[in-house]
Amino acid sequence: MAGRRHSNPEQGGGRSQKPKHVRGFARGHGMHHRPGGGAPKSFGSGRLRDNHEHRERSYRRFDDEKLADLPAEQRQATLRARLESGDDANIFGAPIQGPRARGTVVEVRKGHFLTELREAPEMPPGTTPLPEYLHTVLRGTLEQFDRGLASLVASGDEVEVVVPPVHGDETYEAVLTRVFPRTSEFRRLHPSGRSIQTIAANVQQVLVVASAAEPLFRPGFVDRLHVCALSCDLPIALVLNKTDLGVPEDVEEMLAVYAKLGLPIVRTSAETGAGLDGLRKLVSGKRSVFCGHSGVGKSSLLAALEPDFDGYITVGEVSTYTSKGTHTTTHARLYHVDDGELIDAPGVREFTPADTDRKNLWAWFPEIAGRRAGCNFSDCTHTVEKGCAILAAVEAGEIHSRRHESYVRMYQTLPV
Ligand code: GDP
Ligand code: ZN
């Protein structure tokens, strides 16, 4: 990942003059040029009367009606498979023309996202130079079905896009043509309980950011993230910020528990700069997803790691409105720090593991997994049973009661 932004020297020139980071969609990323704008159109209705009628029609596929009838998860899988095929005819019903570029998705919003260019095509002479970050949209079936809770693309995805050339001060609008298979995903069960959401793609680790005080350290939150990370087969590390405020005894006690579970722990203070080198080392050469309650100092840490963040980090927290008019900030944003990358997900607050139910939750608590053979009942839930080896270990102080408490809380919120 190191140096990826600069990996294509031929296209240096104009691009290297540009600011390193984009400041959001509003400034010339083509928002105002979205054909049709707004709500996805119904393809079967025959009521498309705008100029884009012909184009929209050519995207239509015969089986779109069938897709609509599929359960959300299967529909998602079908659309993903189409996207990964990179076959225009499969995605759009016909090949589409235009120069193609490759890049990384750095921010996703409803129906559109930002692609950071990595390999730019040769553009026809006289066209406007390509920006470093391309406003990118979904088209056709993909757009139509991207209304679900789980987006087809996530921050961190590697994509191919078609870039119709523009002239003068027109803005570029790229169209997604392909998503490359993910090497990993950080996923959760969406709070609605109806879909699995990929928060970040192609990540190597999860960092949970907590504060020593103000707000209070919450072991339950760390435990939930720990379970989410383990269930995604991703390592997790704990960043304890605000250590300048002092680390209370009970927090130290939990840190010892996490250390025993094998979590690397980095103590930082964005205020004094203590521990920032340790944090740098932790994020170096990798892509990490950065999770924490608001107020723990995530933005301050990002700003401390990369002074360029000052002043624009709030872009990631700008609220957008869903089609229902409700507030959402659940998009994640990818940032470059030193030679690593951080995907910050400021709006994601609830971490419920995907593919996990009450019956298999024990698997993500190593201290339970290692002892459950000793329980009286083979279907022991480890919450109330007589003869439960886990409850006995909690009683004996071998399992920390806060960890067991987290298990019970999660157990109660998971599907049966
Ligand atoms: P975020 O919501 O996690 O992004 O948190 P912010 O970075 O916005 O920080 C929340 C508040 O905590 C701000 O007032 C920061 O100045 C303060 N803060 C952040 N890091 C530290 C720290 O290490 N020590 C202290 N004492 N305050 C901090
Ligand atoms: Zn038990």
Side-chain angles (χ1 to χ4, degrees), residues 372 375 380-382 385 387-391:
R372 63 189 270 279
C375 294
C380 186
T381 67
H382 323 301
E385 287 88 345
C388 169
I390 309 310
L391 292 174

Side-chain angles (χ1 to χ4, degrees), residues 38-59:
K41 296 192 167 58
S42 163
F43 286 85
S45 71
R47 286 202 303 266
L48 296 169
R49 276 187 291 259
D50 63 25
N51 305 343
H52 304 287
E53 180 166 9
H54 175 70
R55 201 160 117 202
E56 297 279 4
R57 275 239 197 94
S58 67
Y59 295 142

Side-chain angles (χ1 to χ4, degrees), residues 208-225 238 240 250-251 254 258 292-296 349 402 406 409:
V208 49
V209 187
S211 55
E214 298 175 32
L216 280 178
F217 181 82
R218 294 198 214 167
F221 183 73
V222 178
D223 292 333
R224 291 190 87 86
L225 270 165
L238 172 61
L240 186 77
D250 59 326
V251 176
M254 290 316 296
Y258 295 126
H293 273 293
S294 86
V296 298
R349 292 182 195 91
R402 295 295 298 262
S406 289
R409 287 219 182 124

Side-chain angles (χ1 to χ4, degrees), residues 84-105:
E84 286 185 9
S85 76
D87 175 0
D88 288 354
N90 194 12
I91 302 170
F92 302 106
I96 57 172
Q97 306 298 322
R100 294 191 183 218
R102 279 195 188 192
T104 307
V105 175

Side-chain angles (χ1 to χ4, degrees), residues 73 76 149-151 187-190 193-198 354-355:
E73 213 162 310
Q76 191 82 2
L149 298 157
S151 174
R187 321 194 304 163
R188 67 163 181 173
L189 189 68
H190 191 274
R194 279 182 290 123
S195 68
I196 289 171
Q197 182 187 36
T198 299
D355 313 311

Side-chain angles (χ1 to χ4, degrees), residues 61-87 89-92 141-143 145-146 150-153 176-179 182:
R61 283 173 55 89
F62 292 115
D63 62 354
D64 283 354
E65 284 74 16
K66 269 188 261 160
L67 256 183
D69 292 337
L70 287 177
E73 213 162 310
Q74 276 181 45
R75 187 164 65 222
Q76 191 82 2
T78 306
L79 291 171
R80 272 294 302 190
R82 275 190 200 174
L83 267 176
E84 286 185 9
S85 76
D87 175 0
N90 194 12
I91 302 170
F92 302 106
T141 319
L142 300 176
E143 183 192 23
F145 288 110
D146 191 46
S151 174
L152 287 171
V153 269
L176 179 72
T177 50
R178 186 171 189 182
V179 178
R182 293 169 177 162

Side-chain angles (χ1 to χ4, degrees), residues 3-169:
R4 177 191 284 170
R5 264 178 306 164
H6 311 293
S7 61
N8 196 354
E10 311 75 14
Q11 65 196 17
R15 287 190 58 210
S16 61
Q17 311 292 321
K18 294 206 168 60
K20 203 155 140 205
H21 302 287
V22 73
R23 288 174 189 269
F25 285 124
R27 300 189 191 182
H29 286 285
M31 275 294 284
H32 356 279
H33 294 275
R34 290 188 67 197
K41 296 192 167 58
S42 163
F43 286 85
S45 71
R47 286 202 303 266
L48 296 169
R49 276 187 291 259
D50 63 25
N51 305 343
H52 304 287
E53 180 166 9
H54 175 70
R55 201 160 117 202
E56 297 279 4
R57 275 239 197 94
S58 67
Y59 295 142
R60 198 162 122 192
R61 283 173 55 89
F62 292 115
D63 62 354
D64 283 354
E65 284 74 16
K66 269 188 261 160
L67 256 183
D69 292 337
L70 287 177
E73 213 162 310
Q74 276 181 45
R75 187 164 65 222
Q76 191 82 2
T78 306
L79 291 171
R80 272 294 302 190
R82 275 190 200 174
L83 267 176
E84 286 185 9
S85 76
D87 175 0
D88 288 354
N90 194 12
I91 302 170
F92 302 106
I96 57 172
Q97 306 298 322
R100 294 191 183 218
R102 279 195 188 192
T104 307
V105 175
V106 294
E107 184 167 339
V108 177
R109 294 192 178 184
K110 220 160 186 68
H112 58 115
F113 53 92
L114 276 187
T115 304
E116 180 177 11
L117 283 184
R118 205 149 34 78
E119 287 173 40
E122 193 70 46
M123 297 301 280
T127 50
T128 306
L130 283 170
E132 192 175 356
Y133 297 87
L134 269 175
H135 175 71
T136 310
V137 296
L138 300 170
R139 278 278 179 274
T141 319
L142 300 176
E143 183 192 23
Q144 186 186 12
F145 288 110
D146 191 46
R147 283 170 292 177
L149 298 157
S151 174
L152 287 171
V153 269
S155 282
D157 263 325
E158 293 299 303
V159 295
E160 181 194 72
V161 298
V162 156
V163 200
V166 301
H167 302 273
D169 55 8

